[in-house]
């Protein structure tokens, strides 16, 4: 049977790009968000997949371009609604936050149609996209100089928590982070509504040309099999450990960032006290900051893997306490 999205019909084994209208910009241009509606054969769930809440997340937008082709080349059921670029102004500017109002789109859901621009954008996605889906796959990644690889999960002690955890186990990341999601995140809101949701953090600017693209795509296919969209055995994800404590480590001073632990260590653990990176002054070469692993067993969930400029307080690493959780 065909499906209808925003008043447009998409027949079986057809695909159509349908745009969610948002508002008119100061330039006079009409802003909209493109949704690729991929209709399979027969009955099946409607699964939403989204990337680039933040404009610096190029890696997952390219991952979606490849995932779309995989689906078009496959026999699948149900409908996949794909949003490869959720925040077009942020993508254009290459900024994490929306340049028009400098808000973080993924902290203002479910949005407010009468609020700031980012809130309007969030409200358009929440009101038009979310009601059309039964399950949600939310992809995020690092920026120009950072790489991420972990998957969020919930306590499997409740029925819904178990549903989320089983999806998280199918991800490509070695580490699962069991934690409360930030207020205003889209996935936090879909989970609050008991929608099966998985948040996959994979890759970043330095990850092109590595195996993270293939691993991220494989994770999407495993999850789509689990949800009944793709045929074939579900397979097993790559998770080896769960952490329940962790967070971002940020430099005190800005300058030239020199990584000592980078891409090759992403997803592994290092002993406490290990030097992860240093910040030096670009003019005098004075060492301004030394970033060390803070936990006895420190899980590396995000790394700044390039020599790069860094501002004080910017992301350097996201680290987990390996002793706060345990093996999968």
């Amino acid at each position: 049977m065909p499906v209808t999205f925003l008043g447009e019909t998409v027949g079986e084994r057809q695909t159509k790009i349908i745009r969610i209208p948002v508002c008119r910009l100061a330039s006079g241009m009409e802003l909209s968000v493109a949704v690729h509606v991929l209709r399979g054969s027969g009955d099946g769930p409607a699964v939403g997949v989204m990337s680039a809440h933040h404009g610096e997340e190029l890696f997952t937008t390219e991952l979606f371009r490849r995932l779309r082709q995989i689906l078009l080349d496959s026999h699948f059921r149900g409908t996949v609604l794909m949003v490869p670029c959720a925040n077009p102004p942020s993508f254009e500017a290459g900024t994490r936050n929306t340049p028009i109002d400098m808000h973080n789109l993924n902290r203002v859901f479910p949005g407010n149609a009468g609020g700031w621009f980012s809130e309007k954008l969030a409200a358009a996605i929440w009101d038009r996209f979310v009601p059309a889906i039964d399950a949600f796959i939310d992809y995020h990644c690092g920026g120009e100089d950072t790489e991420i690889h972990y998957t969020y999960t919930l306590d499997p002690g409740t029925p819904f928590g178990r549903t989320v955890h089983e999806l998280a186990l199918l991800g490509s990341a070695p580490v699962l982070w069991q934690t409360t999601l930030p207020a205003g995140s889209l996935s936090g809101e879909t989970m609050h509504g008991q929608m099966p949701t998985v948040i996959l953090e994979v890759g970043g600017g330095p990850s092109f040309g590595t195996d993270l693209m293939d691993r991220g795509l494989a994770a999407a296919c495993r999850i789509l099999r689990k949800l009944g969209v793709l045929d074939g055995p579900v397979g097993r994800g790559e998770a080896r450990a769960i952490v329940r404590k962790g967070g971002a480590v940020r430099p005190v001073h800005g300058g030239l960032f020199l990584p000592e632990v980078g891409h090759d260590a992403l997803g592994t653990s290092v002993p406490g006290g290990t030097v992860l990176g240093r910040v030096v002054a670009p003019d005098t070469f004075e060492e301004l900051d030394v970033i060390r692993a803070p936990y006895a067993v420190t899980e590396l969930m995000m790394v700044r893997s390039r020599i790069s400029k860094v501002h004080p307080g910017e992301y350097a690493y996201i680290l987990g306490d390996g002793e706060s959780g345990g093996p999968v």
Side-chain angles (χ1 to χ4, degrees), residues 58-71:
L58 306 183
F59 186 85
T60 47
T61 297
E62 169 59 13
L63 188 150
F64 275 31
R65 188 183 70 85
R66 301 185 191 194
L67 177 60
R68 179 181 183 274
Q69 194 59 50
I70 289 172
L71 289 168

Side-chain angles (χ1 to χ4, degrees), residues 187-322:
S187 288
E189 293 296 329
T190 59
M191 287 184 185
H192 183 72
Q194 301 288 290
M195 178 183 290
T197 299
V198 59
I199 310 164
L200 303 172
E201 300 265 4
V202 55
S207 302
F208 288 103
T210 73
D211 67 348
L212 286 183
M213 182 65 72
D214 288 340
R215 291 165 70 186
L217 287 167
C221 292
R222 284 192 293 268
I223 293 165
L224 289 172
R225 291 188 194 104
K226 176 73 172 179
L227 293 171
V229 172
L230 287 173
D231 290 326
V234 173
R236 186 182 184 281
E238 301 182 39
R240 60 168 177 79
I242 298 174
V243 299
R244 297 183 176 89
K245 177 182 176 183
V249 175
R250 308 171 188 270
V252 176
H253 302 287
L256 184 66
F257 183 83
L258 306 175
E260 296 198 12
V261 173
H263 170 81
D264 290 343
L266 184 60
T268 69
S269 62
V270 296
T274 300
V275 174
L276 305 178
R278 303 176 190 269
V279 180
V280 302
D283 48 357
T284 66
F285 306 136
E286 174 190 2
E287 185 173 272
L288 303 175
D289 202 357
V290 179
I291 297 174
R292 299 179 185 273
Y295 308 114
V297 178
T298 297
E299 297 286 356
L300 299 170
M301 301 190 296
M302 191 204 83
V303 297
R304 178 172 284 268
S305 52
R306 284 181 178 162
I307 296 176
S308 55
K309 175 189 70 180
V310 67
H311 295 289
E314 197 170 5
Y315 281 109
Y317 293 86
I318 295 178
L319 307 171
D321 181 351

Side-chain angles (χ1 to χ4, degrees), residues 97-250:
N97 288 8
T98 310
I100 293 172
D101 56 19
M102 294 313 297
H103 287 294
N104 182 338
L105 174 63
N106 206 34
R107 297 295 183 273
V108 297
F109 283 95
N112 175 5
W116 288 95
F117 169 79
S118 295
E119 294 175 306
K120 290 178 183 292
L121 177 55
I125 292 170
W126 182 259
D127 293 340
R128 307 289 184 89
F129 176 76
V130 173
I133 61 176
D134 304 310
F136 185 40
I137 305 174
D138 192 8
Y139 267 88
H140 293 264
C141 66
E144 182 179 358
D145 301 311
T146 59
E147 302 177 86
I148 285 179
H149 208 194
Y150 64 89
T151 305
Y152 285 103
T153 191
L154 296 180
D155 184 346
T158 66
F160 180 70
R162 185 65 195 173
T163 296
V164 170
H165 187 66
E166 288 177 352
L167 293 175
L169 287 170
L170 300 176
S172 57
V175 178
L176 304 183
W177 191 4
Q178 183 180 311
T179 186
T180 303
L181 295 178
S185 66
L186 178 53
S187 288
E189 293 296 329
T190 59
M191 287 184 185
H192 183 72
Q194 301 288 290
M195 178 183 290
T197 299
V198 59
I199 310 164
L200 303 172
E201 300 265 4
V202 55
S207 302
F208 288 103
T210 73
D211 67 348
L212 286 183
M213 182 65 72
D214 288 340
R215 291 165 70 186
L217 287 167
C221 292
R222 284 192 293 268
I223 293 165
L224 289 172
R225 291 188 194 104
K226 176 73 172 179
L227 293 171
V229 172
L230 287 173
D231 290 326
V234 173
R236 186 182 184 281
E238 301 182 39
R240 60 168 177 79
I242 298 174
V243 299
R244 297 183 176 89
K245 177 182 176 183
V249 175
R250 308 171 188 270

